Amino acid sequence: GIAKTPEPLTKKSLKLHTFFSEVWQGSKSLWADQRLWMTNLGIAYFWFQGVLFQLGVVLLGRQVLHLDEVGISHLGIWLAIGIAAGSILAGRLSGDKVELGLVPLGSLLMAVTTLGLAWSSTTHPTLVPWLLTGIGISAGLFAVPLNALLQQKAEAGTKGRIQAASNFYSTIAIILSALFL
């Protein structure tokens, strides 16, 4: 069901010694367009928070809810279901355009549901799966428009390079998140 796409304008093989050169070229393209750079930062921030949150859920399951490995994995399943639902919902609400209004909505809902999770984990643990699903839905609403904008606004000849540079920054954010925790 995926439509055929035209051949790329340029074909290059990846060589290890050109890796940082490619990241640098992609970064220059991101920096040249303020909107793309801010979108990139939003995506990297999402991954920083997402990894920090996922690692925190493991600690929540183990230390607060006293769950075994299976119980902790169930928490991850609830979160994944929410992310899938939120991603689909973001696509439906956006229609044929990139709907950036979903980003602040997703951010606000992530904050509210995360605060609810902090409150309910000790007082009403039966709400935890539902709040994790809500956090996942909110995350989908936040992340999908940013990724769509990055893909839409990048120039045809630089889309792959810009996506690769953005992924590089997201990977740095993931590493920093793990170190931060």
Side-chain angles (χ1 to χ4, degrees):
I2 298 174
K4 294 251 184 221
T5 58
E7 288 290 318
L9 297 177
T10 59
K11 291 184 178 185
K12 289 178 156 181
S13 59
L14 179 65
K15 295 182 175 48
L16 192 56
H17 68 280
T18 62
F19 171 76
F20 286 107
S21 171
E22 292 293 326
V23 170
W24 177 252
Q25 293 302 318
S27 295
K28 285 188 350 186
S29 296
L30 285 169
W31 295 330
D33 184 331
Q34 182 73 16
R35 192 173 193 184
L36 286 179
W37 179 245
M38 296 306 290
T39 300
N40 169 62
L41 290 180
I43 293 168
Y45 173 76
F46 171 78
W47 282 104
F48 178 88
Q49 290 288 33
V51 168
L52 189 63
F53 186 80
Q54 270 192 308
L55 295 171
V57 166
V58 171
L59 295 174
L60 172 76
R62 190 170 288 142
Q63 296 176 1
V64 177
L65 301 174
H66 307 292
L67 298 174
D68 61 8
E69 297 299 321
V70 173
I72 292 170
S73 66
H74 287 158
L75 296 179
I77 291 169
W78 284 103
L79 190 59
I81 289 169
I83 292 169
S87 298
I88 292 168
L89 182 61
R92 297 274 189 222
L93 293 174
S94 295
D96 291 335
K97 62 186 182 322
V98 175
E99 183 53 68
L100 289 179
L102 295 175
V103 175
L105 175 64
S107 181
L108 177 66
L109 291 174
M110 274 191 286
V112 169
T113 50
T114 300
L115 289 172
L117 179 67
W119 168 77
S120 71
S121 60
T122 56
T123 58
H124 295 87
T126 56
L127 294 177
V128 168
W130 300 107
L131 288 163
L132 286 171
T133 304
I135 291 167
I137 291 169
S138 306
L141 293 174
F142 181 89
V144 167
L146 291 177
N147 284 291
L149 183 69
L150 188 71
Q151 293 169 20
Q152 180 190 56
K153 296 299 179 186
E155 293 179 25
T158 63
K159 283 185 189 285
R161 182 176 285 140
I162 284 177
Q163 190 68 47
S166 179
N167 288 343
F168 176 79
Y169 289 110
S170 293
T171 301
I172 297 296
I174 288 167
I175 293 166
L176 290 174
S177 180
L179 293 172
F180 182 76
L181 184 67

